[in-house]
């Protein structure tokens, strides 16, 4: 396949702290390359075949870069802008909740570490999933996705669309 998405980066004014945040909230490996400049978050595991067995394709990674000097760039000093984005719409990152985890645990862990909860308990029929969202301490919007499965029983306290 051509033009394959391989990576997504988030801006932070403190990549080391952001790396710790994502490692603690999601249990990912925080691979500093180098520390404080660029952090690659490694979720581990592999994409699965339809039968549930692992393929040879590793899960996608998430990068965290320093907004003050986004690397890589041909100019060692970097270029403007050198700040994280201001309030307003930004890209959103969707995270599939693992079968051995829960939205409530993730949201609690994120909030304890400075995240702002944007919403909880929403069902999106178009894609048959439960979703919840938070903004990390740097303003990046993270949406959690839970599989609803066949004939989902939507809890009464969930909003719907």
């Amino acid at each position: 396949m051509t033009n394959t998405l391989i990576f997504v980066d988030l801006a932070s004014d403190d990549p080391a702290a952001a790396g710790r945040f994502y490692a603690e909230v999601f249990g990912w490996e925080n691979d500093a390359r180098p520390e404080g400049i660029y952090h690659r978050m490694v979720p581990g595991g592999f994409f699965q075949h339809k039968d549930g067995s692992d393929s040879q394709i590793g899960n996608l990674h998430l990068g965290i870069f320093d907004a003050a000097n986004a690397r890589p760039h041909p100019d060692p000093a970097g270029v403007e802008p050198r700040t994280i984005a201001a309030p307003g719409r930004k890209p959103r990152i969707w995270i599939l909740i693992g079968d051995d985890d829960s939205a409530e645990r993730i949201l609690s862990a994120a909030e304890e570490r400075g995240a702002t909860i944007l919403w909880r308990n929403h069902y999106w029929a178009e894609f048959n999933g439960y979703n919840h969202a938070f903004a990390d301490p740097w303003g990046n919007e993270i949406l959690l996705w839970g599989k609803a499965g066949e004939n989902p029983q939507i809890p009464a306290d969930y909003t719907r669309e």
Side-chain angles (χ1 to χ4, degrees):
M1 178 183 292
T2 61
N3 302 319
T4 302
L5 175 66
I6 60 168
F7 221 79
V8 174
D9 283 341
L10 297 178
S12 172
D13 57 5
D14 188 346
R20 285 189 304 277
F21 175 88
Y22 282 97
E24 293 169 359
V25 170
F26 290 110
W28 296 341
E29 177 188 344
N30 179 8
D31 183 19
R33 303 184 71 176
E35 176 75 26
I37 304 297
Y38 189 89
H39 288 244
R40 180 178 72 156
M41 304 312 300
V42 183
F46 295 86
F47 283 101
Q48 294 185 341
H49 294 294
K50 289 183 180 187
D51 68 3
S53 64
D54 285 343
S55 74
Q56 295 176 329
I57 303 166
N59 283 318
L60 299 177
H61 298 165
L62 177 71
I64 302 171
F65 69 94
D66 186 354
N69 189 352
R71 309 305 318 150
H73 191 277
D75 182 345
V79 295
E80 295 295 334
R82 295 180 186 276
T83 58
I84 56 179
R89 286 287 172 216
K90 302 172 196 165
R92 302 183 306 171
I93 308 301
W94 290 82
I95 307 294
L96 179 63
I97 301 166
D99 293 338
D100 59 347
D101 208 346
S102 72
E104 195 53 47
R105 193 223 43 93
I106 294 168
L107 291 169
S108 293
E111 191 171 34
E112 288 169 9
R113 290 161 178 81
T116 302
I117 304 303
L118 301 175
W119 77 79
R120 297 173 190 262
N121 305 342
H122 182 71
Y123 174 72
W124 194 7
E126 182 68 26
F127 292 97
N128 190 29
Y130 304 118
N131 55 84
H132 322 263
F134 66 85
D136 74 11
W138 302 273
N140 298 298
E141 198 168 317
I142 308 301
L143 284 80
L144 304 177
W145 187 266
K147 300 176 208 172
E150 286 188 43
N151 303 312
Q153 302 300 308
I154 316 307
D157 65 332
Y158 273 55
T159 54
R160 298 171 167 109
E161 69 178 283

